[in-house]
């Protein structure tokens, strides 16, 4: 199998909302070690959803980064390290709630990926999206924990009309989320997925749902030659162009995989060079927390 390299970009759009309740971090250093991306959608309509999403993203990212420095997360047993990182993020949210820093009626979705050694592993909770765009088609990789997934299953089984399912008042209710308490459902497959050159991995909040799979596939194919940043911008612009009533926040992480040039370090290179980037990332985050939780997060785009 040819060696692979990856590059990533992010984009956000506030939609028809008063504030941005999505948060994300993406660190994909080409061929110099694993790529890590985390996205969370604060629970809309709940107090401090924007704060919860930022807590979950920063904690999950830090734990995955440290775990990847010790052991490749795409190897056997990597799912246990993913789950340990989720436990840490959930515990940190619980601590902030217990300390009175944020409301106890809060939480968020979480989708996180690690790319290493040409493979992809993920963990997700809630209804944020994880897609693989390959060969002109789009495949959803993760299980969605929402009533929408159950209603769509009923449509597929002939038990409900499609129009009724799309307009169902409980369609967007979550059946699992990270709230500082027990997490009902977690999607974290045992096996990593082998990636190929020209694959595009897409993480997104559910605000992207206004675009059909065919529209996403067309946009990815049209802009793939210009890199992940062009794809991310095109997706967010397409959502804005829909001008959907009550449009939710939308956030995307686009990771573009390609064959490594002969002179480029492959994804199989290990993590010895990543201590300094981690120190800088977490050092800046620690300084921001010291200035006060709400001051850091209100209106901040990660």
């Amino acid at each position: 199998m040819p060696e692979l390299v990856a590059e990533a970009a992010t984009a956000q759009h506030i939609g028809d909302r008063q504030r941005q309740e999505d948060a994300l971090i993406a660190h994909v250093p080409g061929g110099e070690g694993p790529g890590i991306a985390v996205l969370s959608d604060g629970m809309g309509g709940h107090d401090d959803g924007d704060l919860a999403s930022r807590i979950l993203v920063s904690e999950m990212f830090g734990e995955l980064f440290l775990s990847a420095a010790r052991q490749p997360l795409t190897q056997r047993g990597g799912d246990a390290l993913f789950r340990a990182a989720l436990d840490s993020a959930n515990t940190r949210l619980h601590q902030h709630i217990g300390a009175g820093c944020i409301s106890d009626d809060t939480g968020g979705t979480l989708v996180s990926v690690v790319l290493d050694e040409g493979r992809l592993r993920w963990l997700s909770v809630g209804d944020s999206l994880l897609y693989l765009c390959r060969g002109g088609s789009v495949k959803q990789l993760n299980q969605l924990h929402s009533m929408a997934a159950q209603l769509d299953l009923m449509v597929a089984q002939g038990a409900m009309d499609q129009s009724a399912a799309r307009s169902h008042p409980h369609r967007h209710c979550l059946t699992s989320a990270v709230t500082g308490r027990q997490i009902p459902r977690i999607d974290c497959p045992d096996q990593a997925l082998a990636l190929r050159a020209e694959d595009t991995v897409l993480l997104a909040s559910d605000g992207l749902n206004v675009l059909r799979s065919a529209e996403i596939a067309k946009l990815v194919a049209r802009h793939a030659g210009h890199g992940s940043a062009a794809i991310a911008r095109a997706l967010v612009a397409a959502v804005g162009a829909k001008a959907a009533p009550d449009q939710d926040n939308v956030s995307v992480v686009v990771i573009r995989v390609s064959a490594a040039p002969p002179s480029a370090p492959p994804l199989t290179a290990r993590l010895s060079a990543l201590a300094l980037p981690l120190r800088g990332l977490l050092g800046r985050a620690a300084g921001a927390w010291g200035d006060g939780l709400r001051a850091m997060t209100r209106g901040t785009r990660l």
Side-chain angles (χ1 to χ4, degrees):
M1 184 178 71
E3 300 288 2
L4 303 174
V5 293
E7 50 96 14
T10 67
Q12 291 185 298
H13 179 53
I14 196 169
D16 190 21
R17 294 289 189 267
Q18 295 299 312
R19 60 185 180 183
Q20 177 61 263
E21 294 191 327
D22 298 345
L24 50 81
I25 296 178
H27 180 66
V28 181
E32 298 179 355
I36 300 172
V38 185
L39 181 148
S40 176
D41 180 355
M43 291 165 60
H46 292 254
D47 291 338
D48 297 332
D50 55 337
L51 305 184
S53 66
R54 286 155 174 79
I55 292 169
L56 294 175
V57 161
S58 59
E59 187 70 20
M60 189 74 179
F61 175 83
E63 289 296 317
L64 287 176
F65 205 118
L66 292 172
S67 295
R70 295 187 292 265
Q71 173 184 335
L73 297 183
T74 53
Q75 291 185 1
R76 184 179 180 87
D79 57 318
L81 297 177
F82 258 99
R83 291 174 183 271
L86 175 62
D87 286 344
S88 179
N90 195 37
T91 298
R92 183 56 57 91
L93 182 63
H94 177 77
Q95 291 170 346
H96 282 294
I97 292 171
C101 299
I102 58 176
S103 168
D104 61 359
D105 183 23
T106 192
T109 70
L110 194 66
V111 58
S112 55
V113 301
V114 170
L115 297 84
D116 196 14
E117 299 182 329
R119 293 182 292 177
L120 175 76
R121 186 183 287 279
W122 70 86
L123 178 147
S124 71
V125 178
D127 63 352
S128 291
L129 305 162
L130 177 62
Y131 289 141
L132 174 66
C133 306
R134 172 182 288 173
S137 64
V138 175
K139 178 183 179 181
Q140 182 179 308
L141 296 179
N142 63 330
Q143 300 174 5
L144 299 186
H145 305 136
S146 72
M147 286 298 298
Q150 298 183 28
L151 291 169
D152 290 343
L153 179 61
M154 293 176 66
V155 171
Q157 294 172 342
M160 178 177 284
D161 180 74
Q162 188 172 39
S163 61
R166 287 191 175 277
S167 60
H168 196 284
H170 296 154
R171 181 172 180 84
H172 299 294
C173 292
L174 296 177
T175 59
S176 187
V178 187
T179 61
R181 296 180 287 273
Q182 183 176 357
I183 303 172
R185 295 178 180 85
I186 301 169
D187 179 31
C188 186
D190 295 335
Q191 301 295 321
L193 173 73
L195 294 172
R196 304 175 189 171
E198 307 308 318
D199 280 350
T200 299
V201 177
L202 171 63
L203 294 74
S205 58
D206 66 338
L208 191 70
N209 280 333
V210 296
L211 299 181
R212 303 281 188 177
S213 294
E215 294 177 282
I216 295 172
K218 183 179 293 186
L219 287 167
V220 170
R222 182 182 302 163
H223 298 279
H226 302 288
S228 58
I231 298 171
R233 289 193 299 267
L235 290 169
V236 169
V239 170
K242 291 282 186 179
D246 198 33
Q247 171 65 50
D248 198 359
N249 302 147
V250 60
S251 298
V252 299
V253 179
V254 178
I255 304 172
R256 182 76 178 154
V257 181
S258 59
S263 60
L267 280 176
T268 51
R270 299 310 319 142
L271 283 170
S272 60
L274 293 184
L276 288 178
L278 174 61
R279 184 181 304 167
L281 285 166
L282 297 186
R284 289 194 298 273
W289 284 106
D291 292 334
L293 180 62
R294 189 171 296 275
M296 176 193 74
T297 54
R298 289 290 185 194
T300 301
R301 180 175 297 176
L302 295 180

